[in-house]
Amino acid sequence: MRPPRVLPRSLAGQLFVMQALLVAAVVAGCAVFAYVSGRDQAEETAKRQVRTAALAMAESPSVREAIRAPDPSAALQPYAERVRAETGIAFITIMDPRGVRWTHPTPAEIGRPFIGHTDRALLGETFEETYTGTLGPSIRVVTPVRDEGRVVGLVSAGITVERVSTQVREQLGALALAAGAALALGALGTYVINARLRRHTHGMNARELSRMHDYHAATLHAVREGLLMLDGRRRIALVNDAARELLGLGHEAVGRRVDELELPAALTGALLASGPRVDEVHLTADRVIVVNTSPVVGGEQRGTVVTLRDHTELQALSGELDSERGFSQALRSQAHEAANRLHTVVSLIELGRVEEAVQFATAELELAQVLTDRVVGAVGEPVLAALLLGKAAQANERGVELVLAEDSLIDDGALPESLAARDLVTVLGNLIDNAVDAASEAASGGGAAVPGQRTATRALVTVTARTDGGELLLRVADTGAGIAPDDADEVFRRGWTTRGTGRGLGLALVRQAAYRNGGTVTLDRSEGGGARFTVRLPLTGRAAREVTA
């Protein structure tokens, strides 16, 4: 039977074990070092102590005087014992040059030969050695006693190795307590840190984290929706390929603040906002994007997650759909009117007024045919011709007359393939819609007129479409109330409108389409007192120009 697979320990668990072992090794190493250095220090202290005692005894005048006496032990033994008790050393032995003891902690050893070396001391040298004597192994110092230049005796002071070891063991006990406390404190700190790490890593091990990172990177680049992550200081922490393309960012964008990216002001404001934003439409130089932001909070402002959706194509299709819907509504209205006119013609015939019936029918046909012939004859581009005819029908339903200027002329094939038909629909369609709205409101007495201008009594929209010096010129003028001079710089900004919320995108799309094709948009006053928008698009090359208003 195959043994069950043991899951690898979590990353936090692995780090805990490693850190615990590391702390234990460091504490153990420090303990060993402290023990060795403590033992060496204890031995060094013992040597200094016995050297000081031995030299002090050798230099003492009372010692030299006692050596001259017939029985040196009588005076030297009490004196040596008193000094030994005061200093805490193991023994002080005073002997004659032959090594016969005059003093010893064990009185029975007095008169016996000294166990150890004395030859270097007899030559006048003070030296140290570790030697095993009657008290066991000891660290001792031997020094000569001089009287008028002659060595008349020797002094040996020492401390047993056992006493030094006892001192070291006492110090080691305190060191062990300190090491244990350090180990416990280190283990506790390591546990607390790794418990927090375990919460952040959700108990995953290093392999699982690495695999998750790989999946995360692959998903990030595979998602077609733009994803942008900002930290608490509004710097870009992460950006995927789609977001780079939508915002026109380079690889150096990561780490930069949002307000340093030269994005449109409205979009920058949305990215810097502390609150969430839901499905906000913003325009960049050549795109329409929908922005959603969601703050990342956890007790404090940690950053913002931003998603970006490209609605450029959808917005263009929506505009075309609106035009088609308006055209179909106009056709239904025209069908209704045609039915009314047909009933009128039939009624006139039934009344025997055939001549008047013919005149009535041909007059209606002539009005419609004149505009159709004019558009088809002047505009060879089928998309523009269809758009003009559809917009003319819509305008007529609203009581607005749409006319094509006499100097309009676009031959078939004059427009390059690089100039997208969809952009032409966006530009001309939005301009005509705005002009029809303005002319209709002015004719019906609605809207606010610009001070000093007269109110037009005839609702008229004039469209000019022609090629002019390597450029396509599209001009739309109306007889509306016009645009106040103070608003001339704001009309192309997304959201600017005089017709309530939910509007204000058309002119922004016009400017965007013109910029995308390297063209310009200008605004001035028409001859009828309304607004006149002029769009110029180069027929060769697509180098972007600065958009002016």
Side-chain angles (χ1 to χ4, degrees):
M1 182 177 178
R2 193 173 185 178
R5 181 173 177 265
V6 179
L7 292 176
R9 186 185 296 270
S10 67
L11 178 62
Q14 294 177 11
L15 290 177
F16 175 74
V17 173
M18 293 175 60
Q19 291 173 350
L21 292 176
L22 180 61
V23 170
V26 170
V27 171
C30 291
V32 171
F33 175 77
Y35 171 75
V36 173
S37 61
R39 184 184 62 186
D40 294 342
Q41 184 178 4
E43 292 179 356
E44 188 65 27
T45 301
K47 289 178 182 180
R48 287 198 302 269
Q49 186 178 10
V50 296
R51 175 182 285 271
T52 300
L55 291 175
M57 294 287 289
E59 296 294 332
S60 175
S62 58
V63 171
R64 287 195 293 270
E65 184 177 350
I67 290 175
R68 297 190 197 103
D71 185 10
S73 295
L76 294 177
Q77 176 66 10
Y79 176 60
E81 287 301 299
R82 186 173 68 251
V83 173
R84 184 180 69 82
E86 292 175 353
T87 57
I89 61 180
F91 65 89
I92 297 178
T93 299
I94 304 175
M95 68 199 85
D96 63 15
R98 296 173 301 172
V100 178
R101 301 187 185 101
W102 285 325
T103 66
H104 197 273
T106 305
E109 296 294 328
I110 296 175
R112 293 183 179 180
F114 174 73
I115 300 176
H117 300 98
T118 60
D119 48 352
R120 293 168 60 185
L122 292 174
L123 296 176
E125 180 183 354
T126 299
F127 67 94
E128 303 167 357
E129 68 173 353
T130 300
Y131 201 83
T132 302
T134 57
L135 300 179
S138 62
I139 299 172
R140 59 182 65 182
V141 172
V142 182
T143 186
V145 179
R146 292 183 178 84
D147 188 8
E148 296 181 356
R150 295 181 302 109
V151 177
V152 296
L154 303 174
V155 177
S156 177
I159 186 169
T160 60
V161 174
E162 178 63 26
R163 180 175 293 183
V164 174
S165 299
T166 301
Q167 294 176 355
V168 172
R169 283 194 295 271
E170 292 175 354
Q171 296 176 357
L172 186 61
L175 177 63
L177 291 176
L183 183 60
L185 185 62
L188 178 61
T190 301
Y191 175 79
V192 171
I193 293 174
N194 282 274
R196 183 176 181 181
L197 178 62
R198 188 179 295 107
R199 288 196 303 271
H200 288 308
T201 59
H202 302 284
M204 291 186 290
N205 57 45
R207 182 178 299 174
E208 292 171 336
L209 288 173
S210 177
R211 185 166 56 248
M212 176 174 288
H213 176 270
D214 294 339
Y215 289 155
H216 165 267
T219 303
L220 188 67
H221 293 291
V223 171
R224 296 186 63 185
E225 188 174 70
L227 180 63
L228 197 68
M229 294 187 183
L230 310 178
D231 61 17
R233 299 176 61 184
R234 295 298 186 271
R235 296 176 303 188
I236 295 180
L238 183 146
V239 57
N240 69 347
D241 298 339
R244 290 182 191 276
E245 182 179 356
L246 289 175
L247 299 180
L249 303 179
H251 292 283
E252 73 283 356
V254 176
R256 297 179 60 188
R257 283 182 53 85
V258 171
D259 52 10
E260 298 175 354
L261 300 178
E262 298 181 356
L263 298 174
L267 178 57
T268 301
L271 298 180
L272 293 177
S274 58
R277 300 295 180 95
V278 179
D279 290 340
E280 285 193 0
V281 178
H282 290 272
L283 275 72
T284 63
D286 56 356
R287 293 183 183 273
V288 179
I289 59 177
V290 177
V291 178
N292 285 272
T293 67
S294 178
V296 179
V297 293
E300 60 180 4
Q301 181 75 23
R302 295 185 178 178
T304 305
V305 176
V306 182
T307 59
L308 308 168
R309 299 197 307 273
D310 187 2
H311 271 219
T312 306
E313 298 293 329
L314 181 60
Q315 193 66 44
L317 291 174
S318 177
E320 292 182 18
L321 180 60
D322 289 341
S323 297
E324 295 296 333
R325 184 182 294 114
F327 191 40
S328 64
Q329 292 174 354
L331 289 177
R332 284 197 299 269
S333 178
Q334 289 289 336
H336 182 73
E337 283 298 310
N340 291 335
R341 295 187 184 104
L342 182 59
H343 288 311
T344 302
V345 171
V346 171
S347 298
L348 288 173
I349 294 174
E350 289 177 347
L351 292 174
R353 311 186 70 163
V354 178
E355 238 178 78
E356 295 179 6
V358 173
Q359 290 177 356
F360 179 81
T362 56
E364 292 296 327
L365 290 175
E366 286 176 359
L367 290 175
Q369 192 63 37
V370 168
L371 178 62
T372 302
D373 292 342
R374 178 77 185 96
V375 170
V376 173
V379 180
E381 173 61 39
V383 174
L384 286 181
L387 177 65
L388 289 172
L389 291 174
K391 292 299 181 182
Q394 294 180 39
N396 185 58
E397 289 302 313
R398 299 185 58 181
V400 178
E401 183 182 357
L402 189 148
V403 298
L404 189 65
E406 293 296 331
D407 59 347
S408 296
L409 180 61
I410 299 178
D411 294 330
D412 189 13
L415 302 184
E417 294 183 358
S418 59
L419 191 57
R422 181 169 296 167
D423 288 341
L424 296 179
V425 171
T426 298
V427 171
L428 199 54
N430 282 288
L431 291 180
I432 292 176
D433 286 342
N434 288 343
V436 169
D437 288 341
S440 176
E441 290 179 3
S444 61
V450 177
Q453 289 187 359
R454 61 181 177 84
T455 302
T457 57
R458 180 190 178 196
L460 178 65
V461 173
T462 304
V463 178
T464 303
R466 69 169 186 266
T467 55
D468 182 20
E471 293 181 326
L472 172 63
L473 183 145
L474 300 175
R475 177 176 293 145
V476 178
D478 61 66
T479 56
I483 296 175
D486 294 339
D487 295 330
D489 294 331
E490 295 292 320
V491 293
F492 297 103
R493 179 176 55 83
R494 185 192 68 82
W496 186 93
T497 181
T498 60
R499 300 185 179 90
T501 59
R503 305 288 296 271
L505 188 60
L507 289 178
L509 291 174
V510 169
R511 184 176 66 170
Q512 184 188 76
Y515 179 85
R516 185 163 54 243
N517 291 278
T520 61
V521 184
T522 58
L523 166 64
D524 57 7
R525 182 178 300 175
S526 69
E527 295 179 358
R532 182 173 65 177
F533 290 89
T534 302
V535 178
R536 294 181 180 273
L537 303 175
L539 297 179
T540 57
R542 299 185 62 182
R545 303 177 182 177
E546 183 180 0
V547 178
T548 59

